[in-house]
Amino acid sequence: MSRRWINRITFLFMGLTGLACATVILLVALILGHIAYHGVHHLSWEFLTTAPRAGMTEGGIFPAIFGTVFLVLLMTIAVVPLGVCTAVYLQEYAPAGSKLVHAVRLAIQNLAGVPAIVFGLFGLGFFIEFAGRSVDRLFYGGQLHFGQPAILWAALTMALLTLPTVVVATEEALRVVPRGHREAAYALGATRWQMVRYVLLPQATGGILTGTILAVSRGAGEVAPILFTGAAYYLPELPRRLNHQFMELGYHVYVMATQSPDVDATKPILYATVFVLLTLTFLLNFSAVVLRARIRRRLAEGR
Amino acid sequence: MSQAASADPPAADVRVQTPAIEARSLSLFYGSFRALKDVDVAVPRREITALIGPSGCGKSTLLRVFNRMNDLVRGVRIEGSVLVDGRDIYRPDADLIALRKRVGMVFQRPNPFPISVFQNVAYGPAIHGMASNAELEEAVERNLRATGLWDDLKDRLRVPALSLPPEQQQRLCLSRLLAVEPDVLLMDEPCSTLDPIATARIEELLFELKKNYTIVIVTHNMQQAARVSSRAGFMLLGDLVEFGATEGLFTNPRDQRTQDYITGRFG
Ligand SMILES: Nc1ncnc2c1ncn2[C@@H]1O[C@H](COP(=O)(O)OP(=O)(O)OP(=O)(O)O)[C@@H](O)[C@H]1O
Ligand SMILES: [Mg+2]
């Protein structure tokens, strides 16, 4: 082939790949612009701090914000210890190449690929029907307390969904701790736990935090896992106990989009809600990115 | 309680008579690869013993047998026995933590933890149960003095250890080690990342330390071995070819292979 042709083909491919990138950016910008354009003007302090009224055609989204934060908090409390312990076990305790490690890794990878709605169904079947019912039978003489959709079950379901994120982030953070630090600790007579607790975990904190933020941002955005496990259409009161149901931003969006009695009246509220949800997730993702960059820099300087 | 006490540190007179470390027909296998072949060695107390030999001959491996750091490597198998203070450290009920407190190690690359100078030195005492701040402060000062760091760092105890120059990092690692009050210091090429001036200063420090510690040092540098050690061993392909007084080994080696190595005919 002549040089001229090679140059033309190169140019063509550069053009095509560039175009693809531009399309992606344009699409994202379009979606964000659209939502911001329609959503921002309805935002107000009142919108953020009051409950919906008149069949969601008036009022704000405070209960949904509250519910989302509550849900995500509970989820974090569940997923971080579990995820960190799993990662520490896989990286530091499990004998390398053991069958168990292989199985757990495989399970986590598969977990990451399971559709969110399946988590929802699993939560319904396992947490509510099995765990909840058992709690009721054992502690409440069969009275219905926990054997029903509740924020606790929704949070645990969401924790399962986000578990791979935390495990993978923590494993990554542990992996980059130099071997020399482990050896130094052992050579000083540290037990494995003392090595993990005082040498590894402090260095992995940043990575764990990043994973947690990503998990939270995912948890704040998913609807399917909480569909059957605790989210409610409308509640006059905020959830005060673990077995209460709750309203949630993503679910609220879904409800307003599909079940509103007056679509036109709901529309500005809908846009504003989506805007709030997106802002929340973006802020979380952004802080995770910043955090990760800072950790990378610190590690690079440490060498 | 009394049982534990009698099982642990041997009586003082035993310690004076027996070598600090003794290996008897020791072989070590990484999987099927035999990295040490029937090594017999007795490391005398309160002296500096040097291990020399070409790259890959098993110096680090032998050193890491003495505090069982090889346990961290998968597929390692040991034959023969290794005695520290006259007791087999590979016996089934051996206390690994106690062993590593007694036989500490300094590594080739300075590896302070990415925390402050103070925290680095306090780490050992803290994990071994020292809780009071006053005690920890005292331990930090004493062990920074022991390595000649105190005057430089006493006003900068809170700076990150990784911000120190390499020589100070290596001294800090030594302070961190001394703080757990070991008897034996194993050093795996402790000066190989340092410049000649820093190396000379560390060597001076070793002379100071041998008054109170038994030191085993692995080095690639024959001049260094000749300068600092009173005993030396030459290793080749997993064999401890020759072991004896440093002067004899360097001026009048018994084995032809040692002769070849120190006169620079290979390695
Ligand atoms: N973890 C391991 N698994 C398998 N083989 C190993 C391992 N560590 C070391 N070896 C092998 O054992 C032999 C001795 O290695 P060792 O590190 O003790 O040599 P050395 O004398 O310290 O060399 P150097 O001067 O390069 O540090 C080498 O052939 C090396 O390849
Ligand atoms: Mg070596």
Side-chain angles (χ1 to χ4, degrees), chain B:
Chain B
M1 187 63 223
S2 62
Q3 232 178 357
S6 69
D8 215 19
D13 52 318
V14 179
R15 289 228 217 157
V16 176
Q17 289 157 10
T18 56
I21 301 174
E22 207 178 342
R24 293 180 185 160
S25 38
L26 167 73
S27 290
L28 181 143
F29 299 82
Y30 290 116
S32 59
F33 174 69
R34 193 171 177 200
L36 294 177
K37 297 169 187 162
D38 270 326
V39 171
D40 283 283
V41 66
V43 176
R45 280 170 203 284
R46 306 271 188 274
E47 284 185 36
I48 300 180
T49 300
L51 293 174
I52 59 170
S55 196
C57 66
K59 306 178 296 291
S60 300
T61 301
L62 180 58
L63 202 66
R64 294 162 71 91
V65 163
F66 296 153
N67 67 345
R68 290 187 56 175
M69 284 305 272
N70 286 316
D71 287 18
L72 302 178
V73 181
R74 205 154 62 95
V76 165
R77 194 163 52 80
I78 298 261
E79 278 173 12
S81 57
V82 181
L83 312 181
V84 169
D85 294 329
R87 304 210 58 193
D88 187 353
I89 58 171
Y90 283 93
R91 68 183 188 277
D93 67 330
D95 182 347
L96 195 54
I97 307 293
L99 169 70
R100 288 183 181 154
K101 274 175 73 175
R102 179 161 296 167
V103 184
M105 183 167 239
V106 173
F107 297 82
Q108 184 166 0
R109 277 177 142 269
N111 56 359
F113 300 129
I115 44 184
S116 73
V117 168
F118 183 95
Q119 289 170 312
N120 263 280
V121 185
Y123 179 83
I127 61 172
H128 295 304
M130 187 184 286
S132 102
N133 268 333
E135 273 184 295
L136 286 172
E137 274 165 24
E138 191 273 328
V140 169
E141 175 173 348
R142 181 159 35 84
N143 292 294
L144 285 176
R145 277 189 196 285
T147 61
L149 277 178
W150 177 252
D151 290 333
D152 272 344
L153 294 183
K154 62 177 180 237
D155 303 319
R156 294 191 289 146
L157 295 177
R158 301 286 158 195
V159 303
L162 291 174
S163 69
L164 302 177
E167 182 195 347
Q168 292 197 336
Q169 287 194 18
Q170 196 60 302
R171 282 175 190 265
L172 181 65
C173 291
L174 204 47
S175 297
R176 178 178 67 183
L177 171 56
L178 298 183
V180 303
E181 302 179 358
D183 290 336
V184 181
L185 312 178
L186 306 175
M187 303 186 177
D188 195 348
E189 305 190 40
C191 301
S192 66
T193 59
L194 304 181
D195 62 60
I197 297 172
T199 300
R201 284 197 297 248
I202 297 276
E203 285 175 12
E204 269 171 51
L205 175 60
L206 295 187
F207 274 118
E208 200 53 44
L209 290 173
K210 87 169 174 188
K211 294 173 192 156
N212 298 310
Y213 301 93
T214 302
I215 297 175
V216 185
I217 181 171
V218 164
T219 175
H220 256 121
N221 179 334
M222 275 186 283
Q223 285 80 15
Q224 181 172 60
R227 277 193 305 265
V228 301
S229 69
S230 52
R231 296 293 169 104
F234 168 64
M235 295 185 71
L236 190 64
L237 299 171
D239 270 320
L240 183 60
V241 172
E242 186 163 348
F243 185 81
T246 303
E247 223 190 305
L249 192 122
F250 277 102
T251 54
N252 190 16
R254 271 168 291 154
D255 196 289
Q256 182 61 36
R257 291 168 292 175
T258 317
Q259 169 92 37
D260 289 346
Y261 183 71
I262 57 178
T263 54
R265 228 166 287 170
F266 65 86

Side-chain angles (χ1 to χ4, degrees), chain A residues 2 41 78 85 104 112 114 175 194 239 265-266 272-273:
Chain A
S2 78
H41 63 89
C85 288
V104 174
V114 171
R175 216 172 288 139
Q194 285 167 335
T266 311
T273 311

